[in-house]
PDB file of all heavy atoms in Angstrom:
ATOM      1  N   ALA A   1      24.424 -12.385  -7.755  1.00 92.00           N
ATOM      2  CA  ALA A   1      23.497 -11.788  -6.792  1.00 92.00           C
ATOM      3  C   ALA A   1      22.350 -11.034  -7.452  1.00 92.00           C
ATOM      4  O   ALA A   1      21.611 -10.321  -6.780  1.00 92.00           O
ATOM      5  CB  ALA A   1      24.272 -10.849  -5.869  1.00 92.00           C
ATOM      6  N   THR A   2      22.182 -11.160  -8.736  1.00 96.00           N
ATOM      7  CA  THR A   2      21.179 -10.390  -9.468  1.00 96.00           C
ATOM      8  C   THR A   2      19.991 -11.249  -9.868  1.00 96.00           C
ATOM      9  O   THR A   2      20.150 -12.284 -10.526  1.00 96.00           O
ATOM     10  CB  THR A   2      21.790  -9.762 -10.737  1.00 96.00           C
ATOM     11  OG1 THR A   2      22.822  -8.852 -10.347  1.00 96.00           O
ATOM     12  CG2 THR A   2      20.753  -8.999 -11.537  1.00 96.00           C
ATOM     13  N   ALA A   3      18.796 -10.803  -9.459  1.00 96.00           N
ATOM     14  CA  ALA A   3      17.551 -11.396  -9.933  1.00 96.00           C
ATOM     15  C   ALA A   3      17.073 -10.605 -11.158  1.00 96.00           C
ATOM     16  O   ALA A   3      17.535  -9.479 -11.407  1.00 96.00           O
ATOM     17  CB  ALA A   3      16.495 -11.357  -8.831  1.00 96.00           C
ATOM     18  N   ARG A   4      16.147 -11.191 -11.893  1.00 97.00           N
ATOM     19  CA  ARG A   4      15.658 -10.533 -13.110  1.00 97.00           C
ATOM     20  C   ARG A   4      14.131 -10.509 -13.087  1.00 97.00           C
ATOM     21  O   ARG A   4      13.493 -11.550 -12.918  1.00 97.00           O
ATOM     22  CB  ARG A   4      16.146 -11.279 -14.362  1.00 97.00           C
ATOM     23  CG  ARG A   4      17.666 -11.230 -14.523  1.00 97.00           C
ATOM     24  CD  ARG A   4      18.148 -12.151 -15.626  1.00 97.00           C
ATOM     25  NE  ARG A   4      19.598 -12.082 -15.752  1.00 97.00           N
ATOM     26  CZ  ARG A   4      20.252 -11.293 -16.594  1.00 97.00           C
ATOM     27  NH1 ARG A   4      19.565 -10.510 -17.416  1.00 97.00           N
ATOM     28  NH2 ARG A   4      21.566 -11.274 -16.644  1.00 97.00           N
ATOM     29  N   LEU A   5      13.587  -9.315 -13.293  1.00 98.00           N
ATOM     30  CA  LEU A   5      12.145  -9.163 -13.425  1.00 98.00           C
ATOM     31  C   LEU A   5      11.830  -8.921 -14.895  1.00 98.00           C
ATOM     32  O   LEU A   5      12.145  -7.874 -15.457  1.00 98.00           O
ATOM     33  CB  LEU A   5      11.630  -7.987 -12.582  1.00 98.00           C
ATOM     34  CG  LEU A   5      10.128  -7.693 -12.727  1.00 98.00           C
ATOM     35  CD1 LEU A   5       9.286  -8.865 -12.217  1.00 98.00           C
ATOM     36  CD2 LEU A   5       9.748  -6.399 -12.014  1.00 98.00           C
ATOM     37  N   ARG A   6      11.226  -9.915 -15.500  1.00 98.00           N
ATOM     38  CA  ARG A   6      10.915  -9.834 -16.930  1.00 98.00           C
ATOM     39  C   ARG A   6       9.463  -9.405 -17.106  1.00 98.00           C
ATOM     40  O   ARG A   6       8.556 -10.017 -16.534  1.00 98.00           O
ATOM     41  CB  ARG A   6      11.139 -11.193 -17.586  1.00 98.00           C
ATOM     42  CG  ARG A   6      11.026 -11.184 -19.099  1.00 98.00           C
ATOM     43  CD  ARG A   6      11.213 -12.571 -19.648  1.00 98.00           C
ATOM     44  NE  ARG A   6      11.195 -12.602 -21.097  1.00 98.00           N
ATOM     45  CZ  ARG A   6      10.807 -13.637 -21.815  1.00 98.00           C
ATOM     46  NH1 ARG A   6      10.405 -14.742 -21.198  1.00 98.00           N
ATOM     47  NH2 ARG A   6      10.823 -13.592 -23.134  1.00 98.00           N
ATOM     48  N   VAL A   7       9.274  -8.368 -17.900  1.00 98.00           N
ATOM     49  CA  VAL A   7       7.934  -7.830 -18.146  1.00 98.00           C
ATOM     50  C   VAL A   7       7.628  -7.985 -19.631  1.00 98.00           C
ATOM     51  O   VAL A   7       8.339  -7.438 -20.478  1.00 98.00           O
ATOM     52  CB  VAL A   7       7.839  -6.347 -17.742  1.00 98.00           C
ATOM     53  CG1 VAL A   7       6.391  -5.865 -17.847  1.00 98.00           C
ATOM     54  CG2 VAL A   7       8.384  -6.132 -16.335  1.00 98.00           C
ATOM     55  N   VAL A   8       6.586  -8.731 -19.944  1.00 98.00           N
ATOM     56  CA  VAL A   8       6.207  -8.980 -21.336  1.00 98.00           C
ATOM     57  C   VAL A   8       4.815  -8.402 -21.575  1.00 98.00           C
ATOM     58  O   VAL A   8       3.871  -8.691 -20.826  1.00 98.00           O
ATOM     59  CB  VAL A   8       6.203 -10.484 -21.661  1.00 98.00           C
ATOM     60  CG1 VAL A   8       5.759 -10.722 -23.094  1.00 98.00           C
ATOM     61  CG2 VAL A   8       7.595 -11.075 -21.427  1.00 98.00           C
ATOM     62  N   ALA A   9       4.701  -7.578 -22.624  1.00 98.00           N
ATOM     63  CA  ALA A   9       3.427  -6.956 -22.977  1.00 98.00           C
ATOM     64  C   ALA A   9       3.011  -7.394 -24.372  1.00 98.00           C
ATOM     65  O   ALA A   9       3.843  -7.448 -25.283  1.00 98.00           O
ATOM     66  CB  ALA A   9       3.550  -5.437 -22.917  1.00 98.00           C
ATOM     67  N   ARG A  10       1.706  -7.676 -24.529  1.00 97.00           N
ATOM     68  CA  ARG A  10       1.157  -8.069 -25.829  1.00 97.00           C
ATOM     69  C   ARG A  10      -0.098  -7.257 -26.114  1.00 97.00           C
ATOM     70  O   ARG A  10      -0.905  -7.007 -25.211  1.00 97.00           O
ATOM     71  CB  ARG A  10       0.819  -9.557 -25.866  1.00 97.00           C
ATOM     72  CG  ARG A  10       2.017 -10.487 -25.772  1.00 97.00           C
ATOM     73  CD  ARG A  10       1.567 -11.940 -25.852  1.00 97.00           C
ATOM     74  NE  ARG A  10       2.680 -12.852 -25.984  1.00 97.00           N
ATOM     75  CZ  ARG A  10       3.345 -13.384 -24.956  1.00 97.00           C
ATOM     76  NH1 ARG A  10       3.006 -13.074 -23.716  1.00 97.00           N
ATOM     77  NH2 ARG A  10       4.347 -14.208 -25.176  1.00 97.00           N
ATOM     78  N   ASP A  11      -0.264  -6.898 -27.400  1.00 95.00           N
ATOM     79  CA  ASP A  11      -1.447  -6.145 -27.783  1.00 95.00           C
ATOM     80  C   ASP A  11      -1.606  -6.232 -29.304  1.00 95.00           C
ATOM     81  O   ASP A  11      -0.617  -6.441 -30.027  1.00 95.00           O
ATOM     82  CB  ASP A  11      -1.325  -4.679 -27.350  1.00 95.00           C
ATOM     83  CG  ASP A  11      -2.674  -3.972 -27.310  1.00 95.00           C
ATOM     84  OD1 ASP A  11      -3.140  -3.502 -28.371  1.00 95.00           O
ATOM     85  OD2 ASP A  11      -3.258  -3.887 -26.210  1.00 95.00           O
ATOM     86  N   HIS A  12      -2.829  -6.029 -29.789  1.00 91.00           N
ATOM     87  CA  HIS A  12      -3.055  -6.031 -31.231  1.00 91.00           C
ATOM     88  C   HIS A  12      -2.553  -4.758 -31.886  1.00 91.00           C
ATOM     89  O   HIS A  12      -2.352  -4.705 -33.094  1.00 91.00           O
ATOM     90  CB  HIS A  12      -4.542  -6.209 -31.529  1.00 91.00           C
ATOM     91  CG  HIS A  12      -5.376  -5.023 -31.148  1.00 91.00           C
ATOM     92  ND1 HIS A  12      -5.766  -4.764 -29.840  1.00 91.00           N
ATOM     93  CD2 HIS A  12      -5.872  -4.003 -31.902  1.00 91.00           C
ATOM     94  CE1 HIS A  12      -6.473  -3.654 -29.813  1.00 91.00           C
ATOM     95  NE2 HIS A  12      -6.552  -3.160 -31.029  1.00 91.00           N
ATOM     96  N   ASP A  13      -2.350  -3.696 -31.077  1.00 93.00           N
ATOM     97  CA  ASP A  13      -1.892  -2.402 -31.585  1.00 93.00           C
ATOM     98  C   ASP A  13      -0.402  -2.243 -31.286  1.00 93.00           C
ATOM     99  O   ASP A  13      -0.012  -2.182 -30.114  1.00 93.00           O
ATOM    100  CB  ASP A  13      -2.685  -1.273 -30.926  1.00 93.00           C
ATOM    101  CG  ASP A  13      -2.345   0.101 -31.491  1.00 93.00           C
ATOM    102  OD1 ASP A  13      -1.354   0.204 -32.254  1.00 93.00           O
ATOM    103  OD2 ASP A  13      -3.051   1.069 -31.158  1.00 93.00           O
ATOM    104  N   PRO A  14       0.453  -2.167 -32.307  1.00 90.00           N
ATOM    105  CA  PRO A  14       1.890  -2.051 -32.033  1.00 90.00           C
ATOM    106  C   PRO A  14       2.267  -0.785 -31.281  1.00 90.00           C
ATOM    107  O   PRO A  14       3.276  -0.764 -30.567  1.00 90.00           O
ATOM    108  CB  PRO A  14       2.521  -2.068 -33.439  1.00 90.00           C
ATOM    109  CG  PRO A  14       1.433  -1.656 -34.363  1.00 90.00           C
ATOM    110  CD  PRO A  14       0.167  -2.159 -33.761  1.00 90.00           C
ATOM    111  N   ALA A  15       1.461   0.274 -31.384  1.00 93.00           N
ATOM    112  CA  ALA A  15       1.776   1.517 -30.682  1.00 93.00           C
ATOM    113  C   ALA A  15       1.655   1.341 -29.168  1.00 93.00           C
ATOM    114  O   ALA A  15       2.413   1.947 -28.399  1.00 93.00           O
ATOM    115  CB  ALA A  15       0.848   2.635 -31.157  1.00 93.00           C
ATOM    116  N   VAL A  16       0.725   0.496 -28.726  1.00 96.00           N
ATOM    117  CA  VAL A  16       0.519   0.298 -27.291  1.00 96.00           C
ATOM    118  C   VAL A  16       1.725  -0.383 -26.651  1.00 96.00           C
ATOM    119  O   VAL A  16       2.085  -0.084 -25.503  1.00 96.00           O
ATOM    120  CB  VAL A  16      -0.769  -0.526 -27.053  1.00 96.00           C
ATOM    121  CG1 VAL A  16      -0.907  -0.921 -25.580  1.00 96.00           C
ATOM    122  CG2 VAL A  16      -1.986   0.259 -27.507  1.00 96.00           C
ATOM    123  N   VAL A  17       2.368  -1.282 -27.381  1.00 97.00           N
ATOM    124  CA  VAL A  17       3.517  -2.011 -26.823  1.00 97.00           C
ATOM    125  C   VAL A  17       4.795  -1.641 -27.569  1.00 97.00           C
ATOM    126  O   VAL A  17       5.739  -2.419 -27.624  1.00 97.00           O
ATOM    127  CB  VAL A  17       3.275  -3.535 -26.869  1.00 97.00           C
ATOM    128  CG1 VAL A  17       2.179  -3.927 -25.912  1.00 97.00           C
ATOM    129  CG2 VAL A  17       2.940  -3.996 -28.286  1.00 97.00           C
ATOM    130  N   GLY A  18       4.839  -0.443 -28.100  1.00 95.00           N
ATOM    131  CA  GLY A  18       6.006   0.015 -28.839  1.00 95.00           C
ATOM    132  C   GLY A  18       7.042   0.655 -27.935  1.00 95.00           C
ATOM    133  O   GLY A  18       7.175   0.322 -26.744  1.00 95.00           O
ATOM    134  N   ARG A  19       7.753   1.613 -28.496  1.00 96.00           N
ATOM    135  CA  ARG A  19       8.852   2.255 -27.763  1.00 96.00           C
ATOM    136  C   ARG A  19       8.376   2.911 -26.467  1.00 96.00           C
ATOM    137  O   ARG A  19       9.111   2.981 -25.484  1.00 96.00           O
ATOM    138  CB  ARG A  19       9.533   3.270 -28.673  1.00 96.00           C
ATOM    139  CG  ARG A  19      10.858   3.805 -28.145  1.00 96.00           C
ATOM    140  CD  ARG A  19      11.551   4.633 -29.200  1.00 96.00           C
ATOM    141  NE  ARG A  19      11.979   3.806 -30.314  1.00 96.00           N
ATOM    142  CZ  ARG A  19      13.149   3.160 -30.365  1.00 96.00           C
ATOM    143  NH1 ARG A  19      14.000   3.250 -29.343  1.00 96.00           N
ATOM    144  NH2 ARG A  19      13.464   2.442 -31.410  1.00 96.00           N
ATOM    145  N   SER A  20       7.140   3.387 -26.461  1.00 96.00           N
ATOM    146  CA  SER A  20       6.624   4.056 -25.254  1.00 96.00           C
ATOM    147  C   SER A  20       6.533   3.091 -24.080  1.00 96.00           C
ATOM    148  O   SER A  20       6.634   3.502 -22.916  1.00 96.00           O
ATOM    149  CB  SER A  20       5.253   4.662 -25.535  1.00 96.00           C
ATOM    150  OG  SER A  20       4.312   3.649 -25.896  1.00 96.00           O
ATOM    151  N   PHE A  21       6.337   1.807 -24.355  1.00 97.00           N
ATOM    152  CA  PHE A  21       6.293   0.805 -23.288  1.00 97.00           C
ATOM    153  C   PHE A  21       7.647   0.733 -22.581  1.00 97.00           C
ATOM    154  O   PHE A  21       7.730   0.770 -21.347  1.00 97.00           O
ATOM    155  CB  PHE A  21       5.904  -0.543 -23.879  1.00 97.00           C
ATOM    156  CG  PHE A  21       6.129  -1.712 -22.970  1.00 97.00           C
ATOM    157  CD1 PHE A  21       5.311  -1.930 -21.874  1.00 97.00           C
ATOM    158  CD2 PHE A  21       7.173  -2.602 -23.205  1.00 97.00           C
ATOM    159  CE1 PHE A  21       5.529  -3.010 -21.028  1.00 97.00           C
ATOM    160  CE2 PHE A  21       7.386  -3.685 -22.373  1.00 97.00           C
ATOM    161  CZ  PHE A  21       6.564  -3.894 -21.278  1.00 97.00           C
ATOM    162  N   GLY A  22       8.733   0.629 -23.348  1.00 96.00           N
ATOM    163  CA  GLY A  22      10.059   0.620 -22.743  1.00 96.00           C
ATOM    164  C   GLY A  22      10.398   1.944 -22.081  1.00 96.00           C
ATOM    165  O   GLY A  22      11.076   1.978 -21.044  1.00 96.00           O
ATOM    166  N   ALA A  23       9.924   3.039 -22.674  1.00 97.00           N
ATOM    167  CA  ALA A  23      10.204   4.355 -22.094  1.00 97.00           C
ATOM    168  C   ALA A  23       9.574   4.490 -20.718  1.00 97.00           C
ATOM    169  O   ALA A  23      10.133   5.151 -19.825  1.00 97.00           O
ATOM    170  CB  ALA A  23       9.690   5.448 -23.025  1.00 97.00           C
ATOM    171  N   ALA A  24       8.409   3.847 -20.495  1.00 97.00           N
ATOM    172  CA  ALA A  24       7.770   3.894 -19.184  1.00 97.00           C
ATOM    173  C   ALA A  24       8.666   3.274 -18.117  1.00 97.00           C
ATOM    174  O   ALA A  24       8.706   3.739 -16.963  1.00 97.00           O
ATOM    175  CB  ALA A  24       6.428   3.174 -19.243  1.00 97.00           C
ATOM    176  N   ALA A  25       9.400   2.221 -18.494  1.00 97.00           N
ATOM    177  CA  ALA A  25      10.333   1.612 -17.545  1.00 97.00           C
ATOM    178  C   ALA A  25      11.526   2.523 -17.279  1.00 97.00           C
ATOM    179  O   ALA A  25      11.965   2.685 -16.125  1.00 97.00           O
ATOM    180  CB  ALA A  25      10.806   0.262 -18.081  1.00 97.00           C
TER     181      ALA A  25
END
């Protein structure tokens, strides 16, 4: 009964899509 919402982020700067990205979720 579980759906999955996959969120993929890409950027030239690793800080933009680093740990802070997951922390926002």
Side-chain angles (χ1 to χ4, degrees):
T2 298
R4 295 171 180 266
L5 176 64
R6 188 182 184 208
V7 187
V8 178
R10 294 181 171 88
D11 199 277
H12 69 281
D13 185 350
V16 172
V17 292
R19 192 171 293 273
S20 61
F21 166 73

